[in-house]
Amino acid sequence: MKTLHMMAAGAALLLQASGAYAADYNWRYVGVINAAHDYAKIMIEGFERVEERTDGALHIEYVSYGETPYKATDSLTLIRDGLVEMTEWIPAYNASTYPLLAGPELPFVMAELEDAAGFQEATLKAWSTPTISEYKQSIIDEHGAVSLSTQFYDPINIWFTDEVTGIEGMKGKKVRAFSPVQADFLTSAGASPVNIAAAEAYTGLQRGVIDGVITGAGAVVSFKWNEVLTSGFTTNLTLLSFDMVAAEAKLNELPEEVRAVLVEEMGNVEAEIRELMPKAYEQKIAELKEEGLTITNPSPELYGEFHRIAVEDVFPAWAEQAGPQAEEILSDFGIELN
């Protein structure tokens, strides 16, 4: 990825002297979020800049997984099998197959509640350690993909259809989780984890199939789940990363100058989303409060209880499954298992 960005700085300038390309490259980018999400808008603007700067040589259409027959959990497989040119990959969605991917995003891994900006910085450092970065890159490589950017959704919290303000209120609730470690945490806290697609969560909440969801405030608003939710914890349970990945074969088909522009603009998208995330999070929380949702900011004691449950009941099982490198990742967060 570093090599690609270095190439972009110089080669993109060549495009100014070249005319329109005879070849027309029509790509689709398949994202988890719908086009109404703030991040999607930034991506779409980035794709439009690519098209403008390449004189129309590369057009990238944004579509969400809900508009396709595909599932977000299969994103890298879709790249490998040549079914999409570019897509959003959320490592946590594949943590069942690749357990070590869950390490930087374990629930309540921070000893104390961080604000969104500090949480992003700490999580980025965790993903950048040699152990996890090499593991992640090997997975990308084996699927014939290239990561063009890495960014984070706003902090993931727990939301309910009725008013829940403490651990006692969570007991017996059916809550959508999207990773095994989240499911383990919910079980330890007395709730029941449910595996349900994001596209089905609205009706699930509406009909009582589920009583809550683990997700970010941005997703609550963009999926309109706030219409059927009543309360939430701003616990910063985890920070969910995602990569914008392209098929290496498709990337290599592009003229060098076009490829350079794409790489440069996706780097710009990465920077914009990282800068926006903390601000957008605070804004979305404020909006939800104004709409009447009960938002509980956990006390140090409540957060400490969430952290204790995770360390004692969730991390050991994950470490056993993930292998010897798991404890090395935990130590980066200052956590030593007994």
Side-chain angles (χ1 to χ4, degrees):
M1 183 173 170
K2 288 182 179 178
T3 302
L4 288 173
H5 282 292
M6 290 174 65
M7 176 189 73
L13 298 176
L14 298 177
L15 203 59
Q16 298 174 2
S18 65
Y21 288 94
D24 192 16
Y25 299 90
N26 290 299
W27 284 19
R28 277 195 310 170
Y29 176 88
V30 188
V32 173
I33 51 179
N34 59 43
H37 195 287
D38 290 341
Y39 288 7
K41 293 174 183 177
I42 290 175
M43 294 177 202
I44 291 168
E45 289 173 359
F47 298 152
E48 289 173 348
R49 290 195 301 270
V50 169
E51 185 168 7
E52 181 180 355
R53 292 181 59 194
T54 61
D55 292 332
L58 176 57
H59 170 77
I60 304 173
E61 178 187 7
Y62 185 98
V63 297
S64 69
Y65 271 98
E67 302 172 81
T68 74
Y70 308 133
K71 295 180 179 179
T73 51
D74 298 327
S75 57
L76 286 183
T77 302
L78 296 173
I79 289 284
R80 184 196 64 196
D81 295 346
L83 296 174
V84 297
E85 294 85 9
M86 194 171 174
T87 188
E88 175 179 348
W89 176 47
I90 297 179
Y93 282 9
N94 296 134
S96 294
T97 306
Y98 306 101
L100 212 60
L101 287 176
E105 298 173 4
L106 288 168
F108 302 107
V109 73
M110 300 296 174
E112 297 179 351
L113 184 63
E114 294 264 6
D115 64 18
F119 202 6
Q120 178 172 241
E121 182 178 352
T123 307
L124 185 60
K125 286 180 180 177
W127 277 111
S128 300
T129 59
T131 299
I132 195 65
S133 62
E134 290 172 11
Y135 181 78
K136 175 184 173 183
Q137 188 60 50
S138 69
I139 296 167
I140 293 172
D141 290 344
E142 72 181 42
H143 287 85
V146 175
S147 175
L148 300 180
S149 69
T150 302
Q151 44 276 306
F152 301 91
Y153 283 109
D154 50 292
I156 301 297
N157 294 304
I158 315 174
W159 308 85
F160 298 95
T161 52
D162 59 4
E163 191 161 314
V164 176
T165 59
I167 292 179
E168 286 299 316
M170 293 175 58
K171 293 182 178 178
K173 301 294 186 187
K174 303 183 295 292
V175 181
R176 174 186 179 259
F178 55 81
S179 75
V181 289
Q182 291 175 9
D184 289 345
F185 171 79
L186 288 171
T187 300
S188 296
S192 299
V194 178
N195 184 11
I196 183 173
E200 301 168 3
Y202 186 100
T203 54
L205 291 163
Q206 197 174 41
R207 297 173 182 174
V209 175
I210 52 175
D211 306 307
V213 292
I214 291 180
T215 192
V220 167
V221 174
S222 67
F223 284 112
K224 299 184 178 180
W225 293 339
N226 50 307
E227 296 177 352
V228 287
L229 292 170
T230 300
S231 67
F233 285 116
T234 52
T235 56
N236 294 2
L237 180 148
T238 189
L239 201 62
L240 190 67
S241 69
F242 70 95
D243 285 57
M244 299 176 71
V245 297
E248 186 174 19
K250 291 293 183 181
L251 199 61
N252 290 337
E253 287 177 4
L254 298 175
E256 181 178 346
E257 300 92 328
V258 174
R259 186 166 65 249
V261 169
L262 175 62
V263 171
E264 180 181 329
E265 288 297 348
M266 293 308 96
N268 293 335
V269 166
E270 175 185 88
E272 287 181 54
I273 291 177
R274 288 188 188 179
E275 181 180 2
L276 172 66
M277 188 278 283
K279 303 172 187 175
Y281 173 64
E282 297 299 334
Q283 180 182 346
K284 289 295 187 293
I285 291 295
E287 288 177 12
L288 292 170
K289 285 181 177 179
E290 287 179 6
E291 290 182 13
L293 268 72
T294 299
I295 307 293
T296 299
N297 298 314
S299 64
E301 293 76 20
L302 178 56
Y303 183 85
E305 181 62 11
F306 284 138
H307 179 69
R308 182 196 64 77
I309 291 172
V311 171
E312 293 181 4
D313 298 341
V314 179
F315 298 172
W318 168 76
E320 183 176 352
Q321 182 187 19
Q325 291 177 305
E327 293 197 18
E328 183 179 335
I329 292 173
L330 288 173
S331 68
D332 291 333
F333 289 99
I335 297 172
E336 301 294 334
L337 299 178
N338 295 328

